[in-house]
Amino acid sequence: MSAGEIAMEIGVEQNQVITSSTKMVKKRAVRELISGLLFASPVLLGFLIFVIGPILYTVYLSFTKYNIVSAPKWVGFDNYMHLLSGKDAFYYPAVKATFYYVMVSVPAGIVFSFFIAILLNMKIRGRTIFRAIFYLPVIIPLAASSIIWLWLLQPNFGIVNYVLNTLHLPTSLWLSSDATVIPTLILVSLWTTGNMIVIFLAGLQNIPSHLYEALEVDGGNSIQKLFYITVPMSSSIIFFNTVIGFINAFQTFVQPYVMTQGGPNKASYLYVLYLFREGFQFSNFGTSSASAVLLFLIILLFTWIFFKFSKSLVYYEGQEDRK
């Protein structure tokens, strides 16, 4: 056998070995994929059945006239035209009230929770107890805390007005007035900012201490530390809490439902309360589904805007190295 034939035979054997190894690797990858899907199947099925399924069905119902009793009847874009044209006297007031609530409550919640997190990050005695106190309202059911606040803010015999009157300070109608009901709901929403406080606190603890020490050497004061170090280094946390805050605020339901029922005079008739009543009280599930889809689009638009401007507003540590 010549040298050329021997080399050719060796090459063929090597190709066979490589081909066999490749097939084994592919078979192993397929087995691992199947095993992974089997282990993840409960979560995947749950997500498909209880999340994706209802979303798709809601989109379908938004193009139909449906009242549970009879089968859904296809009406195209009639439900959307009914809402957007203003024929529904309650839709745009609900949108207006919701935007008022969201645009004030989210910035107020961010500023409040960030300030409290800064205080809880200081080295003070009983710091752990104070942290527990500020987080405690989060684990209290919203319905229960809403009833408690409803009693506290009762204009005639509520504790809050009683204390204000005792201190010779002006009282308020709180939830009983068109002008004060939304600001009151915003104040109540600050009661449940414990999650934001915890997230801010975790971010503050990750800020390198040598940055503050360097600023102190340069003669910087507390205000300069706040605006030149704390806020920029916490911008990613602020961004995260802002996005989550907007998403949650647009879906506020329990507080107005329990405390005001949308009153007085529909002044606190927020979007999800409108959506709920349209579907489960008046059985207009087509219109209710259309308003749910529109709410999803509104939230999606705001989220896109936030991420669009995040690159210029948010600082991520080490981002210069990635450029």
Side-chain angles (χ1 to χ4, degrees), residues 282-314:
F282 304 119
S283 296
N284 296 325
F285 283 94
T287 306
S288 178
S289 298
S291 62
V293 173
L294 291 174
L295 177 61
F296 169 77
L297 295 177
I298 292 171
I299 294 174
L300 185 65
L301 175 62
F302 271 87
T303 305
W304 178 82
I305 292 173
F306 282 128
F307 277 93
K308 183 71 174 178
F309 293 98
S310 65
K311 293 182 180 179
S312 59
L313 298 176
V314 179

Side-chain angles (χ1 to χ4, degrees), residues 105-115 190 193 196 200 237-238 241-242 245:
S105 66
V106 175
I110 293 294
V111 173
F112 174 79
S113 57
F114 189 63
F115 175 73
L190 299 180
T193 56
M196 281 189 181
F200 274 132
I237 307 298
I238 295 173
N241 276 336
T242 301

Side-chain angles (χ1 to χ4, degrees), residues 111-132:
V111 173
F112 174 79
S113 57
F114 189 63
F115 175 73
I116 296 298
I118 291 175
L119 294 179
L120 295 177
N121 195 42
M122 296 180 177
K123 295 180 180 179
I124 55 176
R125 181 176 297 179
R127 175 170 66 174
T128 305
I129 298 175
F130 286 114
R131 290 176 179 177

Side-chain angles (χ1 to χ4, degrees), residues 236-306:
S236 59
I237 307 298
I238 295 173
F239 171 73
F240 173 81
N241 276 336
T242 301
V243 173
I244 298 301
F246 266 88
I247 293 173
N248 291 335
F250 271 114
Q251 300 176 78
T252 300
F253 170 73
V254 175
Q255 296 94 321
Y257 180 74
V258 174
M259 300 174 72
T260 67
Q261 290 289 307
N265 299 320
K266 303 299 181 181
S268 62
Y269 201 51
L270 299 188
Y271 198 104
V272 178
L273 182 58
Y274 164 83
L275 186 156
F276 172 80
R277 285 188 170 176
E278 192 70 17
F280 293 96
Q281 184 173 342
F282 304 119
S283 296
N284 296 325
F285 283 94
T287 306
S288 178
S289 298
S291 62
V293 173
L294 291 174
L295 177 61
F296 169 77
L297 295 177
I298 292 171
I299 294 174
L300 185 65
L301 175 62
F302 271 87
T303 305
W304 178 82
I305 292 173
F306 282 128

